[in-house]
Amino acid sequence: MSAVYARHHTAPRRRLAALGGAALLACAAVLTTGTPAQAAPPAPVDAATARTYLGDLTVRAEGSSDGYSRDKFPHWSTQSGACNTREVVLKRDGTNVQQDASCAAVSGTWKSPYDGGTWTAASDVDIDHVVPLSEAWRSGASGWTTAQRQGFANDLAQPQLIAVTDNVNQAKGDKDPAEWMPPTGSYHCFYARMWVDVKHHYKLTVNAEEKSALTSVLSGC
């Protein structure tokens, strides 16, 4: 994710609409039948498993960005009813999140694990792809079908999507762990575990510098 397109993750501010009880129940029903609320991304593998997974990954210089486009990773797909992937993650990762009839988060509280920031407006929160789309493209996803890339960009089953402070997400851009780690040092181990778990699941490659940085972090977990 570059700083230019990371802002695409940010939803516009929305005013709290006056909703009748029926509308609120309808939206709740949508969420009930969608992805179960977890209050956090799926837990990654533990540090020992992550170290094993990292050893399994193919080490290769990153490929070219030629041909890359976010449009080749259709994202924020509809999950259920009116709820798209972004809104599902906002609901999952927030506290006391209220949604309107279109499933848009209109109130709630979000604490970003990357930097410890706390926000009460969804417009201050980005949904980060832990392994950025551009990074995935250069690590093997350029050879995937569009359907496979769509699955990656909307994956709620892996520790790949997380609600974080928008400016921090933009600072991350499309950098790998050799170039960027979350400002909160105590989160580095968890972040490295997420990164390796996702790359292993999707059989993506790592470059030498990336593997070295991950090895260093995971050795201290």
Side-chain angles (χ1 to χ4, degrees):
M1 297 172 295
S2 70
V4 173
Y5 66 70
R7 178 60 68 176
H8 292 185
H9 286 198
T10 304
R13 294 184 182 274
R14 303 177 176 93
R15 294 182 179 177
L16 179 59
L19 297 176
L24 286 171
L25 289 172
C27 191
V30 167
L31 291 171
T32 300
T33 57
T35 301
Q38 302 177 76
V45 295
D46 61 27
T49 304
R51 289 191 287 268
T52 299
Y53 280 7
L54 181 58
D56 292 341
L57 295 177
T58 298
V59 180
R60 181 181 300 155
E62 285 190 349
S64 170
S65 293
D66 290 351
Y68 169 73
S69 167
R70 281 177 65 81
D71 291 340
K72 293 183 178 180
F73 291 80
H75 50 288
W76 310 159
S77 301
T78 299
Q79 293 292 332
S80 180
C83 298
N84 66 25
T85 306
R86 173 183 163 83
E87 300 301 342
V88 169
V89 176
L90 284 173
K91 176 73 172 179
R92 182 197 70 188
D93 290 3
T95 302
N96 297 324
V97 177
Q98 300 297 317
Q99 296 171 303
D100 64 18
S102 65
C103 205
V106 292
S107 65
T109 302
W110 293 269
K111 183 171 182 179
S112 167
Y114 284 4
D115 63 322
T118 299
W119 308 99
T120 57
S123 58
D124 290 323
V125 179
D126 277 1
I127 306 306
D128 181 38
H129 289 95
V130 172
V131 176
L133 305 183
S134 176
E135 164 72 20
W137 176 270
R138 298 190 302 270
S139 302
S142 60
W144 295 352
T145 65
T146 299
Q148 288 173 315
R149 290 191 288 263
Q150 182 173 9
F152 176 83
N154 297 276
D155 192 349
L156 294 165
Q158 307 304 317
Q160 165 65 347
L161 297 171
I162 185 169
V164 300
T165 302
D166 57 356
N167 291 343
V168 174
N169 186 41
Q170 292 158 31
K172 171 184 173 178
D174 62 358
K175 300 179 182 72
D176 69 31
E179 305 164 307
W180 185 92
M181 290 292 286
T184 299
S186 60
Y187 198 72
H188 287 186
C189 182
F190 197 86
Y191 184 80
R193 288 161 52 201
M194 289 194 296
W195 184 283
V196 171
D197 199 354
V198 171
K199 281 221 161 178
H200 185 270
H201 179 81
Y202 283 98
K203 297 180 172 57
L204 295 169
T205 63
V206 291
N207 63 44
E209 296 80 9
E210 176 187 354
K211 182 174 182 178
S212 177
L214 289 164
T215 298
S216 178
V217 173
L218 291 171
S219 68
C221 294

